[in-house]
Amino acid sequence: DTGVSQDPRHKITKRGQNVTFRCDPISEHNRLYWYRQTLGQGPEFLTYFQNEAQLEKSRLLSDRFSAERPKGSFSTLEIQRTEQGDSAMYLCASSLRTSGMDEQFFGPGTRLTVL
Amino acid sequence: LAKTTQPISMDSYEGQEVNITCSHNNIATNDYITWYQQFPSQGPRFIIQGYKTKVTNEVASLFIPADRKSSTLSLPRVSLSDTAVYYCLVGDINNDMRFGAGTRLTVKP
């Protein structure tokens, strides 16, 4: 257990439905990252926050994807109008970034299946 | 961002030392080199990070030559539980993390 939790661990939904995932980072960490991982591939960066500011969102996969981190604590990732191609593991990570050393602590992930 | 190249897979036996090399020919001056380990159905786990020369911690060593165009993760005396995917990443404080496909290490008895 890294101290990063994600909820739910598994989500099955029908195509066209909206889904929302939650990530609770390690409390003192200022950075929070979201990744997507498909079978046999490394994690694919989606977006990240420093405190409550979303510093990079251009790599979110489409405008159906959005993320928030109100108050700089937990974060949510929402996917609207899900498609079968959205089926993947969604990983959250947090870090206390102060210099070049950035040890990211990953949560267990949320596995999404879109039917 | 510097692109990294690693072997797709490697096999080893218990008790052997394993060296996984990563190429990053266009590494920038401010870039650090970081290695992560990932087991099935888990998130990646930080192993080690370095900038130049050699870094050692309780689980691994990282060797970085003077030109920094490659790096080698060394795992001493591997066990079956070291079977995992190992990722090499290059970047600095202002870059996001870009994982490649990694190296799938299989340790055999």
Side-chain angles (χ1 to χ4, degrees):
Chain A
D1 184 359
T2 63
V4 179
S5 61
Q6 293 187 245
D7 183 69
R9 295 291 306 276
H10 304 272
K11 177 70 177 179
I12 300 174
T13 191
K14 293 183 179 179
R15 188 175 51 188
Q17 297 294 306
N18 298 344
V19 294
T20 300
F21 309 140
R22 177 179 170 124
C23 172
D24 286 273
I26 295 172
S27 60
E28 62 267 28
H29 283 184
N30 56 1
R31 285 204 173 187
L32 187 149
Y33 302 79
W34 284 100
Y35 296 84
R36 182 181 79 161
Q37 187 172 26
T38 55
L39 196 62
Q41 300 298 314
E44 177 184 13
F45 170 83
L46 296 179
T47 186
Y48 81 96
F49 295 83
Q50 177 143 328
N51 300 311
E52 65 274 11
Q54 191 173 11
L55 298 186
E56 172 60 66
K57 57 182 178 180
S58 65
R59 296 189 38 212
L60 285 167
L61 300 167
S62 76
D63 58 7
R64 297 184 297 106
F65 288 72
S66 63
E68 294 183 344
R69 192 184 183 195
K71 303 178 183 178
S73 56
F74 72 93
S75 176
T76 58
L77 177 70
E78 181 182 17
I79 308 174
Q80 296 182 330
R81 305 181 301 282
T82 53
E83 302 173 355
Q84 288 184 324
D86 296 331
S87 295
M89 175 75 84
Y90 290 84
L91 294 162
C92 170
S94 70
S95 71
L96 181 62
R97 190 143 205 192
T98 56
S99 67
M101 174 66 72
D102 181 31
E103 180 178 349
Q104 292 194 15
F105 293 79
F106 282 80
T110 295
R111 182 168 297 282
L112 173 66
T113 302
V114 182
L115 302 176
Chain B
L1 288 175
K3 180 180 177 181
T4 59
T5 302
Q6 308 174 229
I8 294 174
S9 64
M10 293 182 68
D11 289 341
S12 183
Y13 291 92
E14 281 190 294
Q16 289 189 333
E17 178 184 73
V18 170
N19 295 310
I20 306 174
T21 296
C22 178
S23 296
H24 28 80
N25 290 321
N26 58 340
I27 188 170
T29 303
N30 296 330
D31 285 346
Y32 283 74
I33 300 156
T34 310
W35 286 80
Y36 280 78
Q37 174 193 57
Q38 187 175 28
F39 298 112
S41 300
Q42 294 186 24
R45 183 175 72 105
F46 174 92
I47 300 175
I48 198 166
Q49 183 179 95
Y51 183 79
K52 62 180 179 180
T53 63
K54 177 183 175 182
V55 179
T56 298
N57 62 23
E58 64 276 9
V59 299
S61 294
L62 178 59
F63 298 92
I64 305 168
D67 66 6
R68 304 199 328 122
K69 293 183 182 300
S70 67
S71 58
T72 299
L73 174 72
S74 180
L75 304 173
R77 298 179 298 283
V78 294
S79 64
L80 295 177
S81 63
D82 292 316
T83 294
V85 178
Y86 292 82
Y87 297 98
C88 165
L89 291 83
V90 173
D92 72 3
I93 188 172
N94 296 315
N95 297 148
D96 50 66
M97 302 256 285
R98 301 206 182 200
F99 289 79
T103 297
R104 186 172 300 277
L105 173 66
T106 302
V107 179
K108 303 176 181 178

